[in-house]
Each structure stands twice: as C-alpha cells, then as structure tokens.
Amino acid sequence: SIRPGRDPIAAIADGIPAYDPRLFGIVVRHDVKDICTSRASCSINGQGSPGAFELRILIVDDSPRHLTMMVYELNKLGYATSVAHSGAAAIEAVANERFDVVMADIRLADMTGIELCWHLRTAQGLRHLYLILMIPGSMTDQFHELVEAGADEFLRKPLDWKWTAARLLAASRVVAMQRDLERLATTDALTGAMNRRRFLERGAEEFTRSRRYERPLSVVRLDIDHFKRDNDTPGPATRA
C-alpha cells in the first residue's frame, strides 16, 4: 500500500501498486452522439511520466457539465479523449474506433454502467478494453457485480484527480501489455504482417463497415514472381 501522504502518481511510477479501499477502479461516462476528440502529448501535469504513453480514452456521461470537466482534466494529464452522451452511443463509438480506456458513469439515461460494461465486453473481440466505472460515494455494495460485469476499476465521485491520474498510469501498463499480447497473437514474427486469423477478422470488420456506410471496398492481391527461387537462395533469415 502507499504510505500516508505519498503522491500516488509517484508511487505507481516507482512500481508500487496503489491501493485505496475507497477506489478499486475508475468512473467515467461514455456516450457517442457527438464524438468530439481532443489530443495532447502524454504527460502528467505537463511533465512526462515514467511508463506513460498516449491512451485513447472514451468518456461516457449524459451530463454536459461533467463531460466538459472530464475532458479538461484528462487533457491536462496528456490523454486523447472522445465523448459519448449515452450508452448506445458509446457502444457505436467503440465498434467504429479503437479506444484503450472507457470511463463511464454507472448511471446513464438509457442503461446502467453495468449493462454498458457487459455490452462492451461481449463485443470487444481480441482487443481488450480497460473499463472504468464512476460510482457515487454512497455506494457501499455491488463491487463484485461491477467486476463480474467486466469493469476493471471503479472510482468514487467526485473524482480525486491525483488518484485518477495514478490509476490511469497503472491502466497504461495494462494496456501496453495487452498491446504486446495482441501483436504476438495477430502478426507473423518474421515479417510483422497480419497472420491468417487476424487477416480474416480484419476483413470481416472492413466488410461490415463497408456495408454499414455504403462505401466501396477493394482487395488487392500481389504475387511475387519466382519467390521460391529467392527463398531457396539467400533464405528467409538473410532477408529478415
């Protein structure tokens, strides 16, 4: 645990797991009516933080005031943000764009945060989403239900921004590990090209997107002449 009075950001940057009995996760609201996106360099309070890198965060909330505050604070921390005003909009946004973290309020107009977590987990496929729920300070139970529905963390409102920054830094480590695992599972180790499994998945995604937006989709096949002769002479190790 963190020593009393110690800055949680510094503790996590030093590799010490942060723990606070009040906060097991992250809370944020996501809605995708207007997906307004803002980007900033990845830093903490204007200074680069060890282990941090740019995260794409989707904020889901039906309160314009809270959305504005969240975007402002997260941009100050250096994260790229998009917003959604309902659970349905958040689900659509995640289907069409790649996000690393979703911060959603547990109480949305069209569904609960728990329902949103379940929908996002069901549809996420190979790519892991780091889901943070924001819960009211009065909530004293349902913690097991939140995690069971798919939440990775939850934070109590009003958010403590030093603590939130520390938890996002910890989340960035999980996201980085997931990216490495995804790369190993979907690419050829020698060429770095997509493997057959990922090629078929990506093809299905693009075909679905093409039909949804009624846009043309093209496939180009390239054939290298006399490739076997080249392969037999210098060999794959030499080309790599």
Side-chain angles (χ1 to χ4, degrees):
S1 62
I2 300 176
R3 296 194 305 273
R6 179 156 190 210
D7 187 334
I9 298 176
I12 290 183
D14 291 341
I16 300 173
Y19 172 78
D20 183 322
R22 301 169 304 161
L23 308 171
F24 296 120
I26 303 177
V27 181
V28 182
R29 286 181 148 187
H30 306 57
D31 250 80
V32 181
K33 255 182 195 174
D34 320 298
I35 295 186
C36 49
T37 303
S38 54
R39 297 179 179 276
S41 58
C42 187
S43 61
I44 298 296
N45 293 329
Q47 298 179 347
S49 181
F53 61 94
E54 184 175 321
L55 292 178
R56 289 205 65 202
I57 300 177
L58 175 64
I59 309 167
V60 186
D61 202 316
D62 50 17
S63 166
R65 179 174 173 274
H66 194 242
L67 279 174
T68 301
M69 180 271 292
M70 292 284 299
V71 169
Y72 174 76
E73 294 291 344
L74 291 172
N75 286 172
K76 280 204 309 182
L77 294 175
Y79 296 112
T81 57
S82 295
V83 302
H85 299 91
S86 67
I91 293 169
E92 181 182 352
V94 170
N96 294 325
E97 298 188 53
R98 293 169 70 89
F99 295 98
D100 301 301
V101 176
V102 173
M103 298 181 74
D105 192 82
I106 197 168
R107 293 171 181 167
L108 299 168
D110 58 341
M111 66 180 71
T112 67
I114 293 176
E115 291 173 316
L116 177 60
C117 281
W118 185 85
H119 283 295
L120 294 178
R121 281 282 177 255
T122 301
Q124 73 177 6
L126 184 65
R127 183 176 176 81
H128 179 79
L129 271 173
Y130 198 89
L131 302 181
I132 299 171
L133 285 178
M134 295 181 289
I135 62 176
S138 59
M139 181 178 287
T140 58
D141 53 10
Q142 289 187 286
F143 299 135
H144 184 273
E145 185 181 358
L146 295 178
V147 176
E148 191 173 49
D152 292 294
E153 292 202 46
F154 48 88
L155 297 177
R156 291 190 185 279
K157 296 193 299 185
L159 298 182
D160 178 327
W161 281 101
K162 278 198 171 183
W163 179 260
T164 301
R167 300 314 302 156
L168 286 172
L169 181 55
S172 72
R173 293 179 175 170
V174 176
V175 170
M177 179 182 67
Q178 291 292 338
R179 287 181 179 179
D180 287 340
L181 291 175
E182 180 184 5
R183 178 179 54 79
L184 291 172
T186 60
T187 59
D188 177 76
L190 178 62
T191 65
M194 287 188 294
N195 58 23
R196 183 176 185 274
R197 174 186 175 185
R198 181 54 184 148
F199 178 81
L200 294 176
E201 289 178 347
R202 186 63 180 274
E205 292 170 3
E206 294 301 326
F207 182 74
T208 301
R209 183 177 291 109
S210 174
R211 294 188 63 179
R212 179 185 299 122
Y213 297 107
E214 298 182 346
R215 296 174 180 171
L217 176 66
S218 302
V219 178
V220 177
R221 176 178 174 177
L222 301 177
D223 188 20
I224 302 177
D225 292 337
H226 311 299
F227 182 74
K228 185 177 185 305
R229 182 177 62 191
D230 177 67
N231 190 56
D232 291 342
T233 308
T238 303
R239 289 197 307 277

